[in-house]
Amino acid sequence: SKMSMQVSGRRSIADLFKTPTYNQYFERTFSNTDVAGISSANDTLLTTDENFYFYDLNLKLMVDLSENDKLRVNFLGFNNEISYQENATRNNTTESKTSNLSQQSTSAGLSYHHLWSNHVKTVVEAYYSDYKLESTNYDIFNDQRLLQKNEVSDMGLKAGILLQLNQHADLSGGYQFYEVAVTSEDDINNPPFTRLIKHVLRTHAAFLETNYSSPSNFTNLRAGLRLNYISEFEKFIIEPRLSIN
């Protein structure tokens, strides 16, 4: 068997050391926002202890288990976070709160190919991805805290077989499943309000496709049929496909 791996990653240093370039971009990006601070005739909002941090990681693993078996794995993840402390002065009274925003994303995939013969090959693929956004924002002047969370996750599985009919034609078919989930949450303390919404969509599909190339390769024909079933709606959708070039 043969195996190779590729790993790469990055990390910010702004939480350890802030360069002049970082300070310029930070001021330009967050000018006229709570992060930069706001002042009025009677109230003053100053922002201190701003922290920004991010990292990402990428991994690829390629394994040839044998001449007929190949496994591929990939992973990608990143994280962004920013937090800042607000110091508000109202009527000669000082109050401090810490607001933050974070983003996280993770994705992973796997594929396995097996060659049964020169004419038959099977493929199994699976993937998963998830994105999260969370924020906590304080409005000191209005004594309000807003908490927001959003998440989108996507996962799928596909299994198929490819039959090489002859030198110019092949036939493939298989099954596919995928699920998408979206979640949104809002929470306010003043006035008290909470909302949580989640939608999930699951789809099952069976597909069949044939490809033909003329001996001269001047003509290529692709024809197929896909049958989808959306479980949440209890509905079947048929998708015929035809391509000639």
Side-chain angles (χ1 to χ4, degrees):
S1 62
K2 298 180 180 179
M3 182 180 71
S4 64
M5 179 183 296
Q6 299 176 359
V7 180
S8 63
R10 298 179 299 173
R11 185 196 187 282
S12 65
I13 61 172
D15 57 323
L16 305 175
F17 174 73
K18 294 180 174 63
T19 64
T21 302
Y22 168 83
N23 291 329
Q24 291 179 1
Y25 275 104
F26 189 92
E27 293 176 2
R28 183 182 305 175
T29 303
F30 295 104
S31 61
N32 300 320
T33 68
D34 287 351
V35 182
I38 300 174
S39 299
S40 63
N42 300 319
D43 301 325
T44 301
L45 178 64
L46 298 178
T47 299
T48 60
D49 297 330
E50 306 98 341
N51 289 303
F52 174 74
Y53 168 77
F54 93 90
Y55 71 84
D56 60 35
L57 176 65
N58 189 12
L59 168 67
K60 292 183 179 180
L61 176 65
M62 294 163 282
V63 183
D64 293 344
L65 302 173
S66 68
E67 292 184 358
N68 299 327
D69 298 274
K70 299 183 184 299
L71 178 67
R72 301 291 184 263
V73 179
N74 61 79
F75 172 84
L76 174 64
F78 77 80
N79 180 72
N80 295 326
E81 293 184 13
I82 182 172
S83 64
Y84 56 95
Q85 181 174 308
E86 295 178 333
N87 303 293
T89 302
R90 288 189 303 175
N91 302 323
N92 297 322
T93 301
T94 301
E95 186 176 355
S96 299
K97 296 289 186 180
T98 300
S99 298
N100 58 74
L101 172 67
S102 67
Q103 291 178 306
Q104 297 177 344
S105 181
T106 304
S107 64
L110 179 148
S111 66
Y112 172 70
H113 298 242
H114 179 72
L115 185 64
W116 298 91
S117 69
N118 292 333
H119 304 286
V120 182
K121 180 175 71 173
T122 54
V123 179
V124 177
E125 298 175 334
Y127 71 89
Y128 174 79
S129 66
D130 183 76
Y131 172 80
K132 294 180 181 179
L133 173 66
E134 297 185 7
S135 67
T136 302
N137 184 48
Y138 285 94
D139 184 346
I140 300 179
F141 295 141
N142 294 312
D143 191 24
Q144 187 179 76
R145 187 266 301 142
L146 171 61
L147 174 65
Q148 292 181 306
K149 295 181 180 180
N150 295 283
E151 182 176 5
V152 179
S153 61
D154 184 9
M155 61 178 293
L157 173 68
K158 182 179 181 181
I161 183 171
L162 175 66
L163 306 176
Q164 191 71 41
L165 302 178
N166 54 50
Q167 186 178 356
H168 304 289
D170 62 61
L171 179 67
S172 61
Y175 165 80
Q176 185 176 11
F177 167 79
Y178 52 93
E179 175 186 290
V180 179
V182 179
T183 305
S184 177
E185 180 180 357
D186 298 284
D187 185 276
I188 303 176
N189 67 329
N190 183 27
F193 174 78
T194 301
R195 177 178 60 187
L196 176 62
I197 301 174
K198 184 173 183 178
H199 297 288
V200 180
L201 187 66
R202 300 180 181 91
T203 303
H204 302 264
F207 59 91
L208 184 67
E209 183 178 271
T210 182
N211 293 278
Y212 171 78
S213 297
S214 64
S216 61
N217 286 327
F218 287 150
T219 302
N220 295 287
L221 171 66
R222 174 177 294 180
L225 184 66
R226 182 183 179 93
L227 176 62
N228 301 286
Y229 175 71
I230 305 176
S231 56
E232 281 62 38
F233 302 134
E234 297 183 350
K235 184 177 181 180
F236 286 94
I237 299 177
I238 300 177
E239 300 178 1
R241 301 179 179 183
L242 178 63
S243 174
I244 302 175
N245 53 54

